[in-house]
Amino acid sequence: MWMVEAEMAFSELEDAMNCAEDYFKFLCKWVLENCSTDMKFVSRRIDKTRTNLLEAMISSSYERITYMEAVNVLKKVADRKFETEPEWGTELTSQHLSYLVDEIYKKPVIVYNFPKEFKPFYVRLNDDGKTVAAFDMVAPTVGKFITGSQKEERFDLLNERINELGLPKEQYEWYLDLRRYGTVKHSGFTLGFDLMVLFATGLPDVRDVIPFPRSSGKVNN
């Protein structure tokens, strides 16, 4: 899969979430303004509501909830049995995320502040010592397709996390050197390009969209 990577200096978790939301809205708007012929094809052959969905993404205000809030909301659901019961320390499955987006909030959801065990050593530790400054953006029909985090800029805490996870110190000296002599707060996110194409086209499987950007103009209307 193709990935779009963004990293921003002098930014914290909220800045990354704001940028990710703005970027997704920009992409939806760009598709509608520049791919009208393709969207007409999509409406005729695949999903006649897809254009309306893209428009809704542009105008929506996205819900932001912490991992703990997401777990608590899901635990209160009485009319749905999940394959994995939501509990602290349990990964949110695609079933959980789809329910949050499609049934509870009915709009894109950004889940943030995950347990530190879920994320790599370089994600910034929050003040509670249990969670880290990371987020996932979940959209209707496609699920999680943007992930991001604020990176740990504090040398001592970064060093502690490497030791805590039992990682071979010598393999990470180069990374520690990036912090050893001073740095700035920075954060970023990753967007799955193929998942964005999946969302824009409404096709059912990501394997079906991979050829689209590589064979532009080859589809016979």
Side-chain angles (χ1 to χ4, degrees):
M1 294 178 66
W2 291 357
M3 310 304 290
V4 178
E5 303 274 358
E7 194 72 22
M8 302 171 289
F10 308 103
S11 64
E12 301 183 18
L13 180 66
E14 186 173 359
D15 300 309
M17 292 192 293
N18 291 341
C19 186
E21 180 177 333
D22 289 344
Y23 183 49
F24 179 47
K25 290 181 176 181
F26 164 80
L27 291 175
C28 292
K29 185 177 180 181
W30 193 95
V31 169
L32 292 175
E33 292 178 347
N34 296 277
C35 304
S36 58
T37 301
D38 295 311
M39 293 312 298
K40 288 177 183 177
F41 176 84
V42 166
S43 295
R44 287 200 305 270
R45 298 287 188 88
I46 305 170
D47 182 1
K48 63 182 179 181
T49 67
R50 190 57 39 167
T51 296
N52 292 336
L53 180 60
L54 290 173
E55 291 172 344
M57 295 302 99
I58 299 169
S59 59
S60 292
S61 59
Y62 297 3
E63 190 71 29
R64 296 188 184 185
I65 56 173
T66 66
Y67 165 84
M68 190 71 255
E69 289 170 338
V71 168
N72 289 336
V73 166
L74 291 167
K75 287 174 70 173
K76 294 177 182 177
V77 175
D79 59 348
R80 177 70 178 271
K81 183 70 174 178
F82 298 110
E83 293 179 7
T84 302
E85 288 303 312
E87 296 287 348
W88 173 268
T90 300
E91 291 269 13
L92 297 177
T93 66
S94 57
Q95 188 182 33
H96 294 144
L97 298 174
S98 295
Y99 196 87
L100 287 172
V101 170
D102 299 329
E103 302 296 333
I104 297 179
Y105 296 109
K106 302 184 186 301
K107 57 183 177 180
V109 174
I110 298 176
V111 184
Y112 65 98
N113 285 355
F114 289 90
K116 64 181 181 179
E117 292 79 11
F118 289 6
K119 299 297 180 180
F121 72 93
Y122 53 77
V123 180
R124 195 178 201 274
L125 189 68
N126 289 326
D127 292 340
D128 60 14
K130 299 189 302 180
T131 63
V132 289
F135 74 91
D136 292 336
M137 181 185 289
V138 189
T141 74
V142 74
K144 178 174 67 176
F145 76 113
I146 296 181
T147 61
S149 65
Q150 181 177 346
K151 308 306 184 294
E152 183 61 80
E153 85 284 358
R154 297 165 295 184
F155 179 85
D156 292 344
L157 290 179
L158 186 63
N159 201 32
E160 285 178 15
R161 284 288 286 150
I162 290 175
N163 292 331
E164 180 184 335
L165 294 171
L167 300 174
K169 191 75 170 293
E170 64 278 3
Q171 294 184 18
Y172 295 95
E173 283 298 330
W174 67 271
Y175 193 88
L176 289 169
D177 281 347
L178 298 175
R179 307 290 189 272
R180 196 185 307 273
Y181 307 109
T183 185
V184 298
K185 290 183 178 180
H186 62 105
S187 60
F189 60 87
T190 301
L191 175 141
F193 180 79
D194 296 310
L195 293 176
M196 183 64 211
V197 178
L198 183 75
F199 181 78
T201 58
L203 285 166
D205 194 314
V206 70
R207 289 173 294 185
D208 296 328
V209 309
I210 289 173
F212 273 58
R214 298 167 178 79
S215 50
S216 177
K218 299 298 184 182
V219 178
N220 184 355
N221 290 336

